[in-house]
Amino acid sequence: VWAFATAVVAAETLFEAIVGAAVNRIGDFKPQEMASTVWAFAGAGVAAEALFEAIAGAAVNRIGDFNPQDLANTVWAFATAGV
């Protein structure tokens, strides 16, 4: 997903599939993976309310595990996505 967002390519089917998979496995994500995922969706301009909600819930419970870069990327993504 990061590569698609960096290349500004919105592969809608791919992003939709990733939302479903990520929401179901969000408990397995490390802070950097959560930050990178929401960064990619926000950067690509792909709306994914369920994904942002799942990551918000998981992030709140694990905020102490986020390093400064993870925090900055997550905040940027939520702000950019207007969430």
Side-chain angles (χ1 to χ4, degrees):
V1 177
W2 176 87
F4 280 89
T6 301
V8 193
V9 175
E12 189 173 324
T13 304
L14 173 63
F15 280 92
E16 289 174 3
I18 290 171
V19 168
V23 168
N24 289 332
R25 298 183 57 197
I26 202 66
D28 297 333
F29 278 46
K30 296 177 183 110
Q32 182 181 1
E33 294 162 345
M34 287 189 255
S36 294
T37 302
V38 289
W39 180 92
F41 275 78
V46 176
E49 186 175 335
L51 176 68
F52 278 82
E53 287 178 6
I55 289 180
V60 166
N61 294 328
R62 299 182 52 205
I63 202 72
D65 297 334
F66 280 64
N67 68 34
Q69 187 67 56
D70 298 333
L71 291 170
N73 290 347
T74 301
V75 170
W76 178 89
F78 275 77
T80 299
V83 177

